[in-house]
Amino acid sequence: MADVGLGLVAILVGAGLTASLTGEGFLATVLGWLVGLVVAALFGVLAYLYYEVSVLIAMSAIGFSWAPPRWSPWASRGPGSSCWSA
């Protein structure tokens, strides 16, 4: 439902911008509809990219937190080896 709301807001912003720049009525011309749809597509692309970057950062943080550091005494040195052996 949030995606539909964002698209509607974007169409209204684009159409309102076109109406204020051209002096025509709100959604009265094809240009207003086209600019509204282009702005909606732009908002959709930006929302998707924001989502992709946030998932990338979250998964990177989880992977970083789960990976043991190489200098840790709890890191394995190989199969069958003890952490505390010399």
Side-chain angles (χ1 to χ4, degrees), residues 14-15 18-20 22-37:
T18 304
S20 66
T22 61
E24 298 290 329
F26 184 73
L27 292 175
T29 62
V30 175
L31 180 65
W33 282 97
L34 288 178
V35 171
L37 291 174

Side-chain angles (χ1 to χ4, degrees), residues 24-54:
E24 298 290 329
F26 184 73
L27 292 175
T29 62
V30 175
L31 180 65
W33 282 97
L34 288 178
V35 171
L37 291 174
V38 168
V39 171
L42 179 67
F43 276 27
V45 168
L46 289 175
Y48 179 74
L49 290 176
Y50 180 80
Y51 166 76
E52 286 292 324
V53 169
S54 66

